[in-house]
Structure formats: structure tokens, C-alpha cells
Amino acid sequence: MSATIKDIAKRTGLGLATISSYLNGGNVREKNRVKIEEAIKELNFEVNEVARGLKTNRTKMIGIIIPEMNNTFFAEIITEAEDILRSHGYATMICDCRSDAKREKEAADFLFHRRVDGLIIMPTGPARISLERFVESGRPIVMIDRKRDEISCDCVLVDNDGAARDAVERLIHAGHRKIGMIEGPEDVYTTKERRRGYKTALENAGIIPEERLIVKGNYTIAGGAAAMRKLRNDNPDMTAVFVSNYEMTVGAMMEINDLGISVPEELSVIGFDNIDFAKAAVPRLSIVTQPTKEIAREAAAVLLQRLDERSGKTLSVPSAHPLDSSSGNSHNVKIIKLKTKFMEGRSIKKLEDPAAESGEK
């Protein structure tokens, strides 16, 4: 017969209220906590999570929805976030919607019915349709990597505009003027931000952006390869390319190798993310790197703080961007934007005569 909280009370000499408070995540004195945990271990006591969830209206489950499970960027964030949430007593349910809006809606409905306490999501489709129930129920939502204006919720983003602008400026400073860009789907937040950064860098240097030098790669390896081939065929005068996503960088480099293009002698390249791939490439790639662990930490920290607000608890969760809880402002939407970094490789050629290199007269 399994042990009950009455058995724990008998073993520790503590009241049922104290033990119940501990089991439900409440605050108890340190000496009482030690007694309870020792008794739980000795009696092999197991908490009935379903029953506790019905009583407290909290399941200690967090839903996570991502566009692609096999995407390295997403995988690194989810792994780190899951570790942090687990250390705070939360399990996770991860749904891969395969970049399909319908699947995303189905995943959100599934997680809502499973009564998850909160949601971390990288949105693919219309957020209002997928997340309306979560908003109405007051369950916290944290968006990462992407932002949707139709839903008011906390977001953890990176400075995509600044990342693209910095990358293209490096190519301009190396003397390049005909700079191509491989971008993602046009309706994705990160695509719009990175395109803006690319164009801003060119305009600031007095270069008129040309649409023929921008090709969509749809954030896939195959898309990156196809976009690279089109850029090369349509723009023989192109001397450099900025690839704005990791999968597309892999695809673009595969196509460059297939076409027999020498990097950086014939074409300079700046890619995006995945340090291991950049180091393995020949020559070593110059890339923009995103702070995946910091994104995960901030997303988990914001979500945990929102959950604490709902339960009336005060718990210190490490965050470089804590929520503003002064003057009743803790419910204001929090937008956290993190800086990217740049890893220098050997894939950028410095042009001594940009006009000559680009075929201009």
C-alpha cells in the first residue's frame, strides 16, 4: 500500500497543512522541509500529480510549440529551456508543428486541453487564432524568436535588424557593392527584420538596394541551395552574399561547392548561426551567431515569473531583464531584445578595386 501524507505527518510530527503546503510548492521552514523530504524518501511517497493539479488548478506542465524539431537553432533553445523549467519543478510537452499553421492551431488546442500552466511558442501561423484561449484564460504566453502584433504577450527576441546590418556593413567595408541576400519567408518576423537591416546597411553606404539581389530560401537547406543557384545565375556580377539563416547557409554552401565557386576568391560569404558548421566549412565561415542559451534563459525566467504572479508567490528567477513589478506594472508586456555576435572566419575577401571586381566601368 502506498504512503499518504498522513504517514508523512506521523513520521515527521508535522501538521497536514504544513506538509500539504510543501507538496503544493508553498513556503515552509527549512528544518521542516528537510524532515518532509527525508520522510518522502524513506516512505517512497509519490505525489499524485493529477489529483494535485485538480486541487491547485496547476498541472506543473509547460507547453512548447516550435516550427521544426530538426532545426538546430530551435533545438538548442528548447534543450536549455527544458532544463531550467525542470529545475523549478515543471515538466514540458513539446509539439512540432512543422511550420504549418493548421498543425500549430491543433498543437495549441491540444496543450490547452491538457491544461498546461503556460506556453512558450515560436509562432508560425496567425497567433490570434491559435492562442486566443490561452489569452482569455490568463495563462502566460512567451513568444521567442518571432513577434506577432495581434497578440499581447511577452517576447524574447534578438536584434535581427542590427545583426543583418552589421553583417552587410562588414562586406561593404571590405569593398563589396554587389551584395546578395538569401532571406526567409516574407510573412515571418525575422525575415522582415533581417531584410530591413540588409537594406539599411546598403542605403547608409549610398548603395541602392536591388531586388534582383534578394532571393527567398524559405529557411530550409533545399531553399538555400536553390536561392544560391538563382542568385549566381541572375547576378554574375555579385561578389558577396549574406545568408540569413543556418539551414539556408548549409544549403548555399552545398550549392557553392557544386557550382565550383571558390570562397572567398570568387564569392565572399557571411552565414548565420551554428559555430560547429562554420568551423568545419572550408574555408572557415564568417557568421552571425545568436545567443540561444540566453534566449532560453530569458524565456523561462519570464514565464516562471508570470506563473508566480498568478499564484501570488514571490520567487527569484535569474534574469538579466527582470519584470517591472513596481506600481502594479508587472502585467505590462515585456519585450526583451538580445544582441547577436559575429564570428570572424576566412570567407570574406577584401576588394582593392570594387568597381573592377564587380565588372563596372
Side-chain angles (χ1 to χ4, degrees):
M1 186 175 177
S2 59
T4 67
I5 64 171
K6 289 183 179 180
D7 295 319
I8 296 175
K10 185 176 181 181
R11 181 65 63 93
T12 60
L14 299 172
L16 292 176
T18 300
I19 297 167
S20 178
S21 176
Y22 168 84
L23 293 176
N24 290 314
N27 295 319
V28 298
R29 293 180 180 178
E30 179 63 18
K31 65 177 182 179
N32 291 340
R33 181 190 65 77
V34 172
K35 286 182 181 180
I36 294 170
E37 290 178 356
E38 288 177 350
I40 287 174
K41 187 175 181 180
E42 291 171 4
L43 296 168
N44 292 318
F45 176 81
E46 293 184 6
V47 177
N48 186 329
E49 294 291 353
V50 175
R52 182 168 71 174
L54 291 171
K55 183 178 180 180
T56 64
N57 202 30
R58 294 184 70 172
T59 60
K60 302 295 284 186
M61 294 287 297
I62 301 299
I64 299 177
I65 302 177
I66 58 174
E68 299 287 344
M69 188 75 79
N70 60 358
N71 181 296
T72 302
F73 171 68
F74 298 147
E76 289 178 354
I77 292 175
I78 297 312
T79 298
E80 182 72 15
E82 190 176 24
D83 287 344
I84 295 169
L85 292 168
R86 186 185 297 114
S87 71
H88 285 82
Y90 287 88
T92 57
M93 297 183 71
I94 302 171
C95 296
D96 176 359
C97 71
R98 303 177 194 176
S99 297
D100 182 271
K102 182 180 178 182
R103 283 179 178 270
E104 181 177 85
K105 172 68 164 59
E106 291 171 350
D109 289 344
F110 168 76
L111 292 170
F112 183 82
H113 289 303
R114 293 303 296 261
R115 301 176 64 249
V116 295
D117 294 330
L119 185 67
I120 293 176
I121 181 171
M122 304 178 195
T124 294
R128 183 184 58 79
I129 297 174
S130 297
L131 306 179
E132 195 168 31
R133 286 182 171 181
F134 280 90
V135 173
E136 291 174 353
S137 68
R139 299 186 213 177
I141 303 167
V142 178
M143 287 188 185
I144 54 179
D145 188 50
R146 301 169 186 179
K147 180 175 177 289
R148 294 287 192 180
D149 294 333
E150 69 269 24
I151 286 290
S152 179
C153 67
D154 301 309
C155 298
V156 179
L157 313 168
V158 298
D159 182 7
N160 289 286
D161 183 319
R165 187 170 64 250
D166 175 68
V168 176
E169 284 175 350
R170 290 172 185 272
L171 293 171
I172 293 171
H173 291 159
H176 295 275
R177 295 296 180 269
K178 297 296 181 180
I179 303 169
M181 177 183 182
I182 298 178
E183 65 174 7
E186 62 184 353
D187 59 339
V188 175
Y189 170 81
T190 51
T191 297
K192 297 174 183 177
E193 292 291 297
R194 291 168 192 173
R195 173 190 270 251
R196 182 184 297 117
Y198 164 84
K199 287 189 170 182
T200 299
L202 294 175
E203 290 167 352
N204 288 345
I207 303 170
I208 299 174
E210 300 178 68
E211 288 301 316
R212 68 184 176 93
L213 285 166
I214 304 175
V215 178
K216 288 179 175 52
N218 296 324
Y219 284 170
T220 65
I221 292 175
M228 186 66 246
R229 180 175 289 275
K230 179 173 176 55
L231 270 176
R232 183 66 172 180
N233 289 340
D234 294 352
N235 304 281
D237 58 343
M238 181 179 69
T239 64
V241 62
F242 166 55
V243 191
S244 63
N245 151 273
Y246 163 61
E247 276 73 16
M248 295 192 304
T249 299
V250 174
M253 290 304 296
M254 290 169 60
E255 189 65 22
I256 284 170
N257 290 336
D258 286 347
L259 293 173
I261 300 171
S262 178
V263 177
E265 288 75 20
E266 297 178 71
L267 184 69
S268 293
V269 180
I270 291 181
F272 219 91
D273 271 337
N274 200 303
I275 294 173
D276 291 337
F277 175 77
K279 289 180 177 178
V282 179
R284 177 171 170 163
L285 276 181
S286 295
I287 60 168
V288 174
T289 63
Q290 298 189 85
T292 52
K293 288 190 175 181
E294 190 177 357
I295 293 169
R297 285 196 295 268
E298 293 302 330
V302 170
L303 187 66
L304 289 168
Q305 288 179 63
R306 293 302 189 198
L307 290 169
D308 290 339
E309 289 174 1
R310 290 193 74 199
S311 63
K313 290 170 55 181
T314 301
L315 177 65
S316 177
V317 181
S319 169
H321 307 269
L323 302 179
D324 179 9
S325 59
S326 61
S327 304
N329 290 331
S330 59
H331 296 289
N332 288 347
V333 169
K334 184 74 174 179
I335 305 295
I336 297 172
K337 188 170 285 191
L338 305 174
K339 292 291 184 182
T340 58
K341 293 183 180 180
F342 190 84
M343 189 182 82
E344 198 74 61
R346 293 188 291 274
S347 61
I348 302 174
K349 178 183 178 182
K350 184 173 179 59
L351 303 185
E352 295 181 4
D353 186 351
E357 293 282 354
S358 64
E360 296 176 4
K361 293 181 180 180

